[in-house]
Amino acid sequence: MNKPLSTLLFISLMLLGITPGAALEAQSSENRASENQVAENQAADDLDAERLATQLARQAPACVSFEQQRWIAELESEVTSSGYFHRLPEGLVWQTLKPIEDRVLLSADNPDLSTGMRALLPILSGLLEGDWSKLEQHFDIALEGSMDAWHTTLKPRDSMVAEHLDSIALEGGVRLDQMDIQFTSGDRLALALEPVACSSLPKTATTQEDNE
């Protein structure tokens, strides 16, 4: 009569020099290692504002191209444009290339900056530099998703900003990819962002400061 399977397994383990207790301990250790790896992977993927800010700052490029769609409520029309942002010591250059060329220096020291643009200043500079501390001064931030695919909606708590902006929706991964801004006037602004080499920017539209 054949021996029970458990008896055969016991004999096989003994022949290999492995006691049943040692086999169970080895299996237990293997299970613990697997569980620890799962926990480590989960922790690495968990969304954390401080870690995300560090990630965005590390990946923040000096130049970013944009494709923009702006809905103008008063005219009930949409305008499409493209260009780039360039971070410089004196501020953030917002250069539109199409359909017309236009250059705005987003800086607190720029006296020609409109009130609406001043409201955008901490947003764009903070986002493109990965400096979330600038955003937290003016917005309530609620993050969702993972470190590789996150999104958030920013609600202004600064009265000056809230006067012009209703909300901002952001999406990204290792860097910011999409920005949707809702103005209190009913206007909407959608920006799709893509890092570019500053040296590849059109020379006809860059200033001497841009090329330095």
Side-chain angles (χ1 to χ4, degrees):
M1 185 173 64
N2 292 334
K3 294 181 178 181
L5 181 60
S6 60
T7 303
L8 291 175
L9 178 60
F10 177 83
I11 294 174
S12 299
L13 290 172
M14 294 300 292
L15 289 175
L16 291 172
I18 303 174
T19 65
L24 291 174
E25 178 61 30
Q27 181 63 44
S28 178
S29 297
E30 186 176 321
N31 289 341
R32 286 196 299 271
S34 178
E35 291 171 358
N36 290 339
Q37 185 62 52
V38 170
E40 289 175 5
N41 292 340
Q42 182 63 42
D45 197 48
D46 284 346
L47 188 58
D48 175 82
E50 186 173 341
R51 288 177 57 222
L52 180 59
T54 300
Q55 174 175 285
L56 292 176
R58 187 171 58 247
Q59 298 290 337
C63 296
V64 179
S65 67
F66 68 79
E67 294 290 333
Q68 173 182 292
Q69 283 78 43
R70 177 159 190 168
W71 170 259
I72 304 175
E74 186 177 357
L75 301 178
E76 296 187 348
S77 64
E78 186 174 80
V79 178
T80 300
S81 60
S82 61
Y84 64 83
F85 293 103
H86 189 175
R87 290 192 292 117
L88 296 171
E90 60 268 31
L92 180 68
V93 173
W94 186 339
Q95 176 73 58
T96 302
L97 299 175
K98 297 178 181 179
I100 60 172
E101 292 189 12
D102 182 49
R103 183 181 188 274
V104 177
L105 177 63
L106 295 174
S107 169
D109 298 326
N110 183 359
D112 299 325
L113 207 59
S114 67
T115 304
M117 283 295 185
R118 286 188 181 278
L120 288 175
L121 178 58
I123 304 164
L124 292 173
S125 59
L127 287 172
L128 296 178
E129 293 171 11
D131 186 355
W132 282 60
S133 63
K134 291 183 179 179
L135 297 177
E136 291 172 338
Q137 295 174 17
H138 305 280
F139 296 90
D140 290 320
I141 304 174
L143 288 168
E144 295 181 1
S146 67
M147 292 292 290
D148 294 329
W150 55 268
H151 61 275
T152 183
T153 299
L154 279 59
K155 298 292 291 186
R157 56 188 180 194
D158 183 295
S159 58
M160 187 191 81
V161 176
E163 193 175 322
H164 301 277
L165 300 177
D166 180 65
S167 64
I168 303 173
L170 308 172
E171 294 181 10
V174 295
R175 57 180 174 265
L176 176 65
D177 297 323
Q178 181 75 29
M179 184 188 318
D180 295 287
I181 304 173
Q182 180 74 49
F183 295 88
T184 54
S185 63
D187 289 3
R188 295 190 304 272
L189 183 66
L191 289 162
L193 307 171
E194 184 70 28
V196 294
C198 296
S199 59
S200 69
L201 298 176
K203 297 185 183 303
T204 56
T206 54
T207 63
Q208 183 177 354
E209 292 85 6
D210 289 338
N211 288 320
E212 292 178 352

